[in-house]
Amino acid sequence: MNKKNSIEVKNLSFSYQEETILDNISFSIEKKDLVAIIGHNGSGKSTLVKLLLNLLPSKKGIIKTSGSIAYIPQKFNQDINFPAKVKEILELECCDCDLRGDVVKSLSIENLIDKQFKNLSGGQQQRVMIALSLLSNPNILILDEPTVGVDTTTQEEFYKLLKKINKDRDLTILFVTHDTGMISNYFTKTLCVGNKEVHIDNAKNTNTLLHSVYGDNFHELHHHHHNHEENKK
Amino acid sequence: MIELLQYEFMQRALLGGLLIGITSSLIGVFLVLKRLSLLGDSFAHASFGGIALGFVLGWNPLLTAFGFVSIASLGIDRLINKIKLYGESAIALLLSFGMALALILIGAADKINANIFSYLFGSLLTISYQDIMFASIILVLVLIFYYFNYKKLFYSAFNREIALIRNKNTKIIDKIFILLCAITIVISIRAVGILLISALLVIPSLIGLRLSNSLKQTLMISSCASVLGIYLGIFISYYFDLPTGGTIVMSLIGLFLISIFIKK
């Protein structure tokens, strides 16, 4: 494996009930990359993420990763009323470590430690989930649309936070999103899944990338956020 | 009251209630958090099939039910994870299968005595020393399992996707938990009977969840509420000559209503 890389995928294929989802894809992601993963619903984004996390059996091809991966699933898969203190949740990844240390401080959740998880706001719960993932000292962090259903201000704060974590901790971050409007502002690379293939480009070229994968249909993806006006034209 | 405690059957009932109350609430809290409350009902009905089988074959009914439900617990896991049935459909399937098997066996074998129906409604006041021994062994097994795997169980209940990534043996832990759940239910039948078993698993957990500030507190409050409900049920049913199982469940519901008033 190339030392510059954090993830290397070679000739990876995956089928589900005889339908090919990903067909012989190869790509690599460099260390410290902040990657947005985009693609239509059902294009195979989640499948790709699950393959990287080693949650799916019977794949063809090779996936190499440098170091451990932490994962933050979709907000809807989290029981927001779970009856535990934030402290108890963070202790899942922190046996002897200092709960008032770096991670907790950098996410500004020191004052939430003794509160109940279910009494926190959506944004606060998200920060707790990030803290939990960072406490396992991962080299790679994968997030699956954690901002769905969150208001725009909270979303933007979240992106800023990701950028900061990415810088401060030299962490490779992969972020599955439908929100293509903000990619060039916060991310370094865009990985587009479509037509059973995967394409990677600089985040600045996201629109060109979407065009090349989806042709004129790329607005379907685009219209989810930010660009309602554009779609009406 | 003191006089009552001198009766041996009462001592057995109180000891059995203590053991069964703690075990079922420890299991119940995680069942509720994992959204598997109905699994208890399903195992209880399946165990009725096992009990009937024991009666027909002349084996110890509870031990036969233990074996039967343990196999059923593995079967339900396969139905959900391999054959991809919806969780609640698999639960309904197992529930009907156990009940149907019991009815057929009872119908086919004339020699079955009316004793089998005591399992439907429970009778803590007639609990035997053998049952108490089973209950102690199960409580010890559950405590040992929780002592070594509390964090993994917690993680799996909090977010199973992350737990699967972080702990390679999450699936095994979940399977053992379901197995412990199955055998806990078989012994809890003694307290409230097959028809009311869900109450013993779910109501103390709901009380714990209402009144606590943390998961550990939830487990402790649920255990206390469970034992308190069982004791209230035993005494009330004794003094007013009421069925013990039903009275225990009503006491637990009473405690739950009080918990609503305490923390609105």
Side-chain angles (χ1 to χ4, degrees):
Chain A
M1 187 167 172
N2 188 329
K3 276 191 177 170
K4 267 171 65 187
N5 288 340
S6 154
I7 298 174
E8 280 182 11
V9 171
K10 269 184 197 150
N11 309 112
L12 178 68
S13 297
F14 184 82
S15 307
Y16 182 71
Q17 292 177 346
E18 289 173 26
E19 190 197 342
T20 309
I21 312 282
L22 296 169
D23 189 14
N24 199 28
I25 60 169
S26 300
F27 66 90
S28 58
I29 286 168
E30 287 180 24
K31 283 178 181 161
K32 299 183 209 175
D33 264 346
L34 182 48
V35 186
I37 300 180
I38 55 174
H40 285 171
N41 288 332
S43 62
K45 297 188 300 277
S46 294
T47 306
L48 178 64
V49 165
K50 282 185 180 150
L51 285 166
L52 293 175
L53 292 167
N54 203 11
L55 286 180
L56 292 175
S58 65
K59 57 179 185 287
K60 278 185 208 154
I62 300 168
I63 299 172
K64 285 184 188 166
T65 51
S66 72
S68 63
I69 306 180
Y71 175 59
I72 300 179
Q74 287 199 7
K75 201 171 150 252
F76 298 119
N77 291 350
Q78 178 58 50
D79 177 5
I80 56 168
N81 288 317
F82 197 81
K85 277 187 183 173
V86 171
K87 189 178 163 206
E88 286 182 294
I89 292 168
L90 296 181
E91 275 169 357
L92 290 172
E93 291 290 358
C94 179
C95 294
D96 302 313
C97 67
D98 179 13
L99 270 187
R100 316 230 162 225
D102 260 7
V103 170
V104 169
K105 268 186 200 148
S106 68
L107 292 164
S108 332
I109 54 171
E110 303 103 308
N111 53 345
L112 305 180
I113 294 274
D114 287 314
K115 290 199 172 152
Q116 281 210 75
F117 184 73
K118 64 179 175 191
N119 294 337
L120 305 184
S121 71
Q124 288 171 329
Q125 287 192 340
Q126 258 175 11
R127 292 214 296 273
V128 171
M129 296 305 284
I130 295 178
L132 179 68
S133 65
L134 293 183
L135 282 170
S136 67
N137 278 319
N139 303 88
I140 303 161
L141 176 62
I142 302 181
L143 305 96
D144 194 355
E145 299 197 70
T147 52
V148 168
V150 177
D151 65 85
T152 331
T153 327
T154 318
Q155 266 180 25
E156 274 171 20
E157 272 171 24
F158 191 74
Y159 298 139
K160 281 179 195 156
L161 183 66
L162 280 187
K163 206 169 175 177
K164 183 171 173 289
I165 296 168
N166 168 252
K167 248 189 185 170
D168 294 352
R169 307 179 71 90
D170 289 344
L171 196 65
T172 310
I173 298 181
L174 279 68
F175 185 92
V176 178
T177 182
H178 273 107
D179 187 4
T180 53
M182 56 72 207
I183 292 178
S184 57
N185 297 338
Y186 299 99
F187 292 78
T188 60
K189 298 264 173 67
T190 303
L191 187 156
C192 185
V193 188
N195 310 325
K196 299 167 192 171
E197 292 170 354
V198 159
H199 302 267
I200 288 197
D201 204 340
N202 195 301
K204 299 251 180 303
N205 304 328
T206 303
N207 279 348
T208 329
L209 184 66
L210 276 169
H211 251 299
S212 72
V213 177
Y214 286 114
D216 287 334
N217 290 329
F218 91 93
H219 285 302
E220 277 179 38
L221 184 77
H222 219 218
H223 85 272
H224 278 277
H225 301 277
H226 293 314
N227 291 299
H228 296 278
E229 292 307 312
E230 199 177 306
N231 264 303
K232 281 175 194 162
K233 282 175 193 169
Chain B
M1 181 84 166
I2 305 265
E3 187 188 328
L4 192 61
L5 295 177
Q6 285 167 349
Y7 292 124
E8 207 184 309
F9 76 89
M10 191 50 91
Q11 291 167 359
R12 279 202 304 264
L14 294 177
L15 184 56
L18 180 76
L19 295 166
I20 291 171
I22 295 173
T23 316
S24 59
S25 54
L26 287 179
I27 293 284
V29 168
F30 279 103
L31 268 186
V32 169
L33 289 178
K34 284 168 163 283
R35 304 286 188 275
L36 290 173
S37 302
L38 280 177
L39 195 64
D41 239 352
S42 171
F43 283 154
H45 285 75
S47 67
F48 195 43
I51 287 167
L53 196 67
F55 267 98
V56 170
L57 298 174
W59 298 347
N60 180 312
L62 279 189
L63 276 181
T64 316
F66 273 137
F68 193 77
V69 173
S70 303
I71 294 169
S73 77
L74 298 176
I76 211 162
D77 183 68
R78 272 198 95 75
L79 284 176
I80 295 171
N81 292 318
K82 292 275 189 298
I83 304 179
K84 305 281 177 205
L85 287 191
Y86 289 127
E88 72 264 28
S89 322
I91 285 169
L93 188 76
L94 178 64
L95 189 148
S96 337
F97 169 69
M99 227 36 200
L101 179 71
L103 290 178
I104 289 172
L105 288 174
I106 293 168
D110 309 327
K111 60 179 178 181
I112 285 189
N113 59 36
N115 228 344
I116 192 168
F117 294 103
S118 75
Y119 289 93
L120 280 180
F121 306 108
S123 52
L124 204 46
L125 292 176
T126 60
I127 194 168
S128 69
Y129 276 120
Q130 197 188 29
D131 294 335
I132 287 179
M133 197 182 67
F134 285 149
S136 329
I137 293 171
I138 295 166
L139 177 58
V140 170
L141 285 177
V142 170
L143 287 175
I144 292 175
F145 178 69
Y146 276 34
Y147 180 78
F148 287 107
N149 299 295
Y150 175 74
K151 274 196 177 180
K152 286 170 188 157
L153 263 177
F154 183 162
Y155 222 145
S156 173
F158 178 63
N159 192 312
R160 192 158 191 270
E161 269 183 306
I162 305 182
L164 282 169
I165 294 161
R166 295 294 302 152
N167 303 312
K168 294 282 171 254
N169 50 7
T170 298
K171 281 186 182 169
I172 299 172
I173 298 283
D174 285 349
K175 279 194 180 115
I176 299 175
F177 172 74
I178 296 295
L179 194 67
L180 283 174
C181 166
I183 57 177
T184 300
I185 282 162
V186 175
I187 196 67
S188 305
I189 287 172
R190 266 303 185 194
V192 292
I194 286 160
L195 297 176
L196 291 173
I197 204 87
S198 286
L200 208 53
L201 291 163
V202 176
I203 302 173
S205 311
L206 297 180
I207 297 171
L209 289 171
R210 276 206 80 76
L211 299 182
S212 70
N213 293 318
S214 69
L215 188 60
K216 274 191 181 138
Q217 237 182 48
T218 306
L219 288 166
M220 280 191 285
I221 294 177
S222 304
S223 303
C224 295
S226 178
V227 175
L228 182 64
I230 291 175
Y231 281 11
L232 277 173
I234 291 175
F235 289 123
I236 295 172
S237 72
Y238 180 80
Y239 280 115
F240 296 96
D241 196 20
L242 299 167
T244 326
T247 318
I248 288 175
V249 174
M250 277 303 174
S251 308
L252 286 171
I253 292 176
L255 291 177
F256 174 68
L257 292 176
I258 293 171
S259 78
I260 291 181
F261 281 111
I262 292 176
K263 206 168 183 178
K264 262 191 182 170

